[in-house]
Amino acid sequence: MNTTIRQRDNGKYQAIISYKVNGLWKQKSKGGFDRVSDAKKWAKETSFDLVEIERQGIIDSDMTIGELFDVYIDNLVLLRRSNSRITGVKTTKKFFEPFRNTKVKNLNAFEVKKHIINRQKATGYSYKSMTNFFISILNFAVKELKVIYTNPIDSMKIDFEKRDNREKFITKEVYESILKDLPRDIYKLYVRTLYETGMRKNELMGLTIFDIKDGYIKVNHQLDPKTNTLVKLKTNNSYRTIPINKDLEKALLSQIPNIDGRIFYDFCSETVYKYLKKYKASLHCFRHTFATNLVSSGIDLTIASQIIGDNIKTILNIYTQVNEDKKKNEYNKVRAIF
């Protein structure tokens, strides 16, 4: 790699960097500097990126974001990933449509962040899953396609939870309406299990027939949707045992599992989520509802925290919502005192 600083006829300075990509010499330059030191500073900062490009053998590509999505989808088809996962990527492509013609190497993290936050404000949805999909696709561009050497949005910070104004507590009536709307029995069972166990969506996607026995579910792993493999849970509190009724146990064990024993495997959670949107609900709202129902029913907080897999403070501050029926009953108790 070579750097040349030269003065143009207008008196301004230009920095020129010569570097190799796949054995071919390329040049990157910038002019308009008033001082030699400014030109050298730019050349030094830019050289760090170019050295990494040389070292990793990054291809000098003009691939656009739209083209990257198409290649990624072709890769999923080649790997025989589920149709629901492919549909999820196509939905993500549509969400990031404003960047369709942007070159991958020119993608700006701030512009992506601004797009996501504006959509959050407009709809009330978090778009966390789509953002994670996009991060995975850009990682694919880094590791397999080698069209960029680093993921520009990998460290992007967005507060998904606080911008999510969807319902946290689902009433029995809304829950039953959701079940009626779901077109497949396996979707109904997935939502029912969320509602009756408070499991996180990927914990349930990773549930196997070996985790269910004698009226209990042992939660000891979760599905990594990026690799479609079972992985460890994030915290020690997440490892837990959940009691379930015999009817749910029978329904779960009557399903035909895949080779790994997984019960929910031929769809992704985002496929189910799209049926919840009309109710302003999310998959995680069933966890909030479960925690609220436990506490409202008088279950000891220590036991409730063990079943839910979070500490008591988290349950009280985040998960529990006011159950209106319970609230009315408690008001009547207050009246009866006096």
Side-chain angles (χ1 to χ4, degrees):
M1 181 179 295
N2 302 311
T3 300
T4 303
I5 307 295
R6 68 181 185 182
Q7 189 173 25
R8 306 299 296 272
D9 294 339
N10 61 3
K12 300 287 187 179
Y13 292 93
Q14 179 185 32
I16 304 171
I17 306 173
S18 301
Y19 63 99
K20 277 187 177 182
V21 176
N22 299 324
L24 300 176
W25 282 99
K26 301 278 185 178
Q27 282 192 339
K28 192 176 185 69
S29 66
K30 184 175 181 180
F33 295 104
D34 293 324
R35 298 176 298 181
V36 173
S37 60
D38 293 335
K40 286 183 176 180
K41 181 181 179 181
W42 174 85
K44 182 178 180 180
E45 293 174 349
T46 305
S47 293
F48 286 120
D49 291 342
L50 297 179
V51 165
E52 191 65 20
I53 288 174
E54 282 188 337
R55 187 181 71 81
Q56 295 190 20
I58 303 299
I59 300 169
D60 188 18
S61 171
D62 288 330
M63 175 180 283
T64 65
I65 293 298
E67 291 169 341
L68 173 60
F69 269 100
D70 291 338
V71 173
Y72 188 76
I73 290 170
D74 288 342
N75 180 64
L76 293 181
V77 173
L78 185 65
L79 295 176
R80 297 182 178 179
R81 295 293 186 246
S82 66
N83 289 333
S84 56
R85 182 171 178 81
I86 294 172
T87 300
V89 173
K90 289 180 178 178
T91 303
T92 302
K93 178 183 178 182
K94 186 176 180 180
F95 177 75
F96 288 105
E97 175 67 18
F99 302 96
R100 178 171 59 90
N101 295 320
T102 301
K103 293 178 181 179
V104 178
K105 63 184 179 183
N106 294 337
L107 186 66
N108 183 284
F110 178 73
E111 292 300 322
V112 174
K113 182 176 183 177
K114 187 165 63 172
H115 171 68
I116 295 169
I117 292 176
N118 286 339
R119 293 300 299 151
Q120 287 177 332
K121 291 178 179 178
T123 66
Y125 299 128
S126 71
Y127 298 107
K128 183 177 181 179
S129 295
M130 290 186 183
T131 302
N132 287 336
F133 262 134
F134 199 25
I135 291 172
S136 295
I137 292 165
L138 288 168
N139 283 337
F140 173 75
V142 173
K143 297 175 182 178
E144 295 198 37
L145 299 183
K146 291 186 176 294
V147 294
I148 48 176
Y149 76 89
T150 187
N151 186 335
I153 68 170
D154 198 34
S155 300
M156 184 176 64
K157 302 295 183 183
I158 294 181
D159 192 348
F160 291 102
E161 186 66 27
K162 289 185 179 179
R163 297 182 186 278
D164 188 350
N165 62 8
R166 293 171 294 183
E167 296 292 339
K168 296 296 188 294
F169 180 80
I170 298 296
T171 64
K172 187 74 171 179
E173 292 74 20
V174 171
Y175 165 65
E176 290 174 351
S177 296
I178 289 172
L179 289 183
K180 289 179 181 178
D181 280 351
L182 296 172
R184 295 181 60 193
D185 288 340
I186 194 68
Y187 296 169
K188 296 178 191 290
L189 182 59
Y190 182 72
V191 167
R192 178 188 173 187
T193 309
L194 288 174
Y195 183 79
E196 294 188 22
T197 67
M199 293 175 71
R200 299 175 179 90
K201 63 179 183 180
N202 287 330
E203 290 174 347
L204 186 51
M205 290 301 293
L207 181 68
T208 73
I209 57 173
F210 312 112
D211 303 324
I212 307 167
K213 186 178 180 181
D214 298 332
Y216 294 97
I217 289 177
K218 279 195 170 295
V219 184
N220 50 32
H221 49 239
Q222 63 182 344
L223 182 73
D224 182 347
K226 296 179 182 179
T227 61
N228 204 40
T229 57
L230 298 180
V231 297
K232 295 179 180 179
L233 300 173
K234 293 182 179 180
T235 66
N236 289 333
N237 284 340
S238 296
Y239 291 88
R240 61 199 190 277
T241 299
I242 303 173
I244 58 174
N245 60 54
K246 289 296 182 181
D247 187 52
L248 178 58
E249 180 177 14
K250 181 179 178 181
L252 290 168
L253 293 178
S254 66
Q255 302 302 307
I256 300 175
N258 71 355
I259 193 171
D260 298 318
R262 282 178 52 207
I263 297 170
F264 305 104
Y265 57 88
D266 68 339
F267 65 94
C268 69
S269 57
E270 292 306 306
T271 304
V272 177
Y273 169 62
K274 71 180 183 180
Y275 294 101
L276 306 181
K277 291 182 178 180
K278 65 181 282 189
Y279 298 97
K280 292 190 69 177
S282 67
L283 294 168
H284 199 68
C285 73
F286 295 106
R287 182 168 170 80
H288 286 263
T289 302
F290 179 74
T292 299
N293 287 336
L294 287 187
V295 175
S296 297
S297 299
I299 302 297
D300 182 85
L301 283 177
T302 301
I303 302 300
S305 68
Q306 292 173 357
I307 294 172
I308 295 166
D310 266 310
N311 59 49
I312 295 175
K313 183 178 179 180
T314 300
I315 293 172
L316 293 177
N317 292 344
I318 298 177
Y319 287 132
T320 55
Q321 302 290 317
V322 175
N323 183 322
E324 289 302 322
D325 292 335
K326 178 70 173 178
K327 184 178 178 181
K328 290 178 182 178
N329 290 335
E330 296 303 309
Y331 281 179
N332 288 333
K333 289 181 182 179
V334 173
R335 293 188 183 100
I337 293 174
F338 305 99

